[in-house]
Amino acid sequence: MGRLLFSCIAVTVLCASVSMALSSYHPSGLTVGFYQSTCPQAEEIVRSTVAKAVSDDPGVAADFLRMHFHDCFVRGCDGSILLNSTKKSTAEKDHPVNNPSLEGFDVIDQIKAKLEAACPNTVSCADIIAFTARDSIVLSGMNHYDVPAGRRDGKISRASDVPKNLPPPTFTVKQLIANFARKGLSVDEMVTLSGAHSIGKSHCSSFTSRLYSFNNTVATDPTLDPAYAASLKQQCPSNANTDNTVPLETISPLRLDNVYYKELLRNRGLLASDERLFTSPVTKGLVLNNAIYGTVWAEKFTRAIIHMGTLDVLTGTKGEIRKNCGVVN
Ligand code: HEM
Ligand SMILES: *[C@@H]1O[C@H](CO)[C@@H](O)[C@H](O)[C@H]1NC(C)=O
Ligand SMILES: *[C@@H]1O[C@H](CO)[C@@H](O)[C@H](O)[C@H]1NC(C)=O
């Protein structure tokens, strides 16, 4: 009996370690292949839905990448960005930083509906965001990478948490470094992740102060390439009554690549926070390296996104698996 018990334990331990090795444990408590046994088709359901959404509207890829960042920096990667406001409280998604510029929530809802049909109460909304970000990154030309999963969904989303955690485009390099450091992200990771601005767009309101009201004596930010500044003024007139959008990086706005850094070298960074990465001596060398060594940047970007995706995650029995990403159970 004793021996039988012993071999049962040995077999259990062996199986546990083998399955651990297969699904690759991550220090954050997340695992690659988390849904392998509970919902093997989960990642493929996400991938095919994102592929369709991006082929219908290529701009959605940038939304998912930004959504992952905005989810993870505010209360951790817990899907709090997806919760709707209630009568009692305004949610993160309705803070002006996110509303109206952050889109793609309808696609997340479609994905969640398919996942609930295939494997009810299993796949968290927080993991859906991490998967959609990965798929968007890959569809934008980067290499595939495995997403450690097993995040659970938070139950709180407050608009007031947004400005305390997300950096505005007016931040100096010193402020950007401090903001990322609070999340455990290095200076190199901050500069590397800013390369996300190689895709997507910005509303004029996020940078028009650089065009028309730089300081008391100078209207236009002198660190802006003059031809680029002139073109931006055309796209964003000072008397406009709509908040237009322009590409964050003009050369290849649908490709996630290191052209963003090459543009910074040419004084064509759109946001003040972008251009300062090159004008500040603290980060200039990192920008130069990323501009020259595109493959190295791409590898660092993948590692940094995986790291960002582990920030303050809820695992185990914490949080819940939302049935509907817009509302707590
Ligand atoms: C370094 C500090 C950062 C600042 C100050 C910043 C700020 C901004 C701003 C102001 C916009 C334009 C919003 C608008 O007016 O429509 C934007 C867009 C975007 N950001 Fe960032 N961001 C930062 C870092 C990041 C990071 C780390 C990521 C992802 C890893 C990211 C991904 C994006 C993407 C993809 C867009 C385009 C969104 C779209 O096309 O809908 N950003 N960001
Ligand atoms: C405005 O910016 C210009 C260019 O950077 C600078 O030379 C000047 O000192 C600034 N003026 C004020 C009042 O800050
Ligand atoms: C959340 O709000 C959006 C838009 O206001 C709406 O389409 C969606 O159905 C809402 N979700 C839930 C679960 O109420």
Side-chain angles (χ1 to χ4, degrees):
M1 184 62 198
R3 264 180 88 157
L4 186 63
L5 186 64
F6 177 77
S7 25
C8 286
I9 292 171
V11 166
T12 314
V13 169
L14 184 71
C15 292
S17 34
V18 166
S19 81
M20 204 91 139
L22 282 176
S23 55
S24 151
Y25 183 78
H26 197 269
S28 58
L30 303 177
T31 43
V32 169
F34 184 79
Y35 298 109
Q36 231 163 47
S37 58
T38 54
C39 191
Q41 65 275 55
E43 294 192 40
E44 176 51 27
I45 290 175
V46 177
R47 193 205 58 77
S48 59
T49 314
V50 172
K52 170 80 168 66
V54 170
S55 89
D56 292 348
D57 172 8
V60 170
D63 279 303
F64 288 142
L65 180 48
R66 185 168 180 238
M67 189 184 287
H68 193 31
F69 170 48
H70 286 201
D71 188 33
C72 292
F73 264 51
V74 184
R75 306 193 82 85
C77 314
D78 69 341
S80 54
I81 185 71
L82 302 175
L83 287 172
N84 278 359
S85 294
T86 63
K87 271 176 222 132
K88 280 190 212 146
S89 105
T90 308
E92 290 170 29
K93 67 153 70 148
D94 287 323
H95 187 278
V97 163
N98 293 318
N99 186 358
S101 57
L102 189 58
E103 298 169 313
F105 297 109
D106 53 327
V107 181
I108 300 279
D109 286 344
Q110 279 172 34
I111 293 170
K112 182 59 172 173
K114 289 184 195 176
L115 288 171
E116 284 303 301
C119 354
N121 306 317
T122 306
V123 184
S124 69
C125 298
D127 278 342
I128 294 175
I129 298 180
F131 293 143
T132 60
R134 184 267 312 276
D135 298 335
S136 299
I137 288 168
V138 171
L139 286 164
S140 304
M142 301 274 277
N143 287 336
H144 175 88
Y145 63 93
D146 291 328
V147 176
R151 298 168 188 79
R152 293 174 58 91
D153 297 324
K155 301 180 185 179
I156 299 170
S157 179
R158 291 192 199 110
S160 57
D161 286 333
V162 172
K164 287 185 273 192
N165 290 285
L166 284 174
T170 49
F171 261 13
T172 62
V173 166
K174 199 178 166 188
Q175 291 170 313
L176 292 170
I177 290 173
N179 176 273
F180 276 64
R182 281 217 317 273
K183 305 293 174 186
L185 296 176
S186 69
V187 179
D188 189 30
E189 287 177 307
M190 186 274 287
V191 174
T192 296
L193 288 171
S194 294
H197 291 174
S198 165
I199 59 170
K201 55 189 167 31
S202 169
H203 286 80
C204 294
S205 54
S206 298
F207 59 85
T208 36
S209 62
R210 299 187 74 198
L211 304 177
Y212 302 112
S213 51
F214 180 64
N215 69 17
N216 287 340
T217 50
V218 177
T220 306
D221 187 338
T223 63
L224 261 182
D225 166 65
Y228 185 48
S231 146
L232 291 174
K233 284 178 184 173
Q234 272 189 348
Q235 298 174 79
C236 305
S238 60
N239 59 355
N241 45 24
T242 56
D243 196 1
N244 298 340
T245 60
V246 304
L248 280 156
E249 181 258 88
T250 312
I251 308 293
S252 56
L254 294 177
R255 276 194 74 80
L256 187 51
D257 54 23
N258 71 331
V259 171
Y260 164 81
Y261 301 99
K262 295 182 185 175
E263 288 289 274
L264 299 186
L265 266 52
R266 299 173 61 207
N267 302 319
R268 290 161 52 92
L270 184 64
L271 308 175
S273 52
D274 292 323
E275 197 55 58
R276 285 186 186 134
L277 298 178
F278 183 61
T279 52
S280 160
V282 180
T283 44
K284 184 176 197 144
L286 295 170
V287 170
L288 278 168
N289 274 320
N290 291 340
I292 299 167
Y293 306 107
T295 310
V296 177
W297 166 77
E299 285 163 1
K300 285 196 297 178
F301 185 84
T302 300
R303 279 200 299 275
I305 280 284
I306 293 171
H307 185 195
M308 187 184 87
T310 65
L311 294 181
D312 303 319
V313 290
L314 302 172
T315 56
T317 54
K318 296 194 189 112
E320 62 181 13
I321 304 296
R322 262 178 239 149
K323 288 185 185 18
N324 182 325
C325 293
V327 55
V328 297
N329 291 345

